[in-house]
């Protein structure tokens, strides 16, 4: 095995490592964003219903985000994106209901 082959293998390993790192970062970012929005949604709903303070709102966001990170750790990016799409569609349905309701 010559120097050229070793350099080719080394460059291929670097490229594969960069690709896997980027995909891992994207997966973690998607889980964090989804967890933040779900936590903020549940925290704001609880704050309006019960009248929680800001500390409890932040606590609720952190707890829901941690649960989402743990549950979604086994899910793929496609499954998380489909879940996000379903959440957006349900939110649009609720918005339409609120706007139409007397």
């Amino acid at each position: 095995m010559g120097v050229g082959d070793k350099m080719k293998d080394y460059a291929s390993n670097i490229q594969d490592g960069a690709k896997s790192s980027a995909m891992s970062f994207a997966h973690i970012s998607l889980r964090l964003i989804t967890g933040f929005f779900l936590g903020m949604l549940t925290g704001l709903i609880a704050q309006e219903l019960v009248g929680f303070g800001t500390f409890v709102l932040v606590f609720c966001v952190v707890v829901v985000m941690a649960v989402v990170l743990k549950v979604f750790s086994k899910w793929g990016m496609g499954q998380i994106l489909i879940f996000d799409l379903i959440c957006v569609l349900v939110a649009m349905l609720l918005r339409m209901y609120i706007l139409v309701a007397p």
Side-chain angles (χ1 to χ4, degrees):
M1 184 180 269
V3 175
D5 291 334
K6 287 183 181 180
M7 288 300 291
K8 184 179 175 183
D9 289 342
Y10 182 69
S12 177
N13 288 339
I14 289 176
Q15 187 177 9
D16 291 341
K19 181 180 177 184
S20 67
S21 296
M23 289 299 291
S24 176
F25 178 73
H27 189 254
I28 290 171
S29 299
L30 185 62
R31 288 184 356 214
L32 278 172
I33 291 169
T34 302
F36 175 74
F37 281 118
L38 287 177
M40 194 60 121
L41 178 73
T42 56
L44 288 173
I45 289 172
Q47 191 175 26
E48 285 297 319
L49 289 178
V50 183
F52 288 155
T54 306
F55 177 74
V56 177
L57 173 69
V58 172
F59 180 74
C60 187
V61 169
V62 170
V63 168
V64 171
M65 190 182 301
V67 169
V68 166
L69 285 174
K70 181 68 175 171
V71 170
F72 287 1
S73 65
K74 302 295 182 196
W75 289 16
M77 296 236 339
Q79 292 171 322
I80 296 173
L81 288 172
I82 290 172
F83 176 80
D84 289 344
L85 177 66
I86 291 170
C87 287
V88 168
L89 292 174
V90 168
M92 290 176 67
L93 184 67
L94 288 173
R95 180 180 177 266
M96 183 182 69
Y97 173 73
I98 290 171
L99 290 175
V100 172

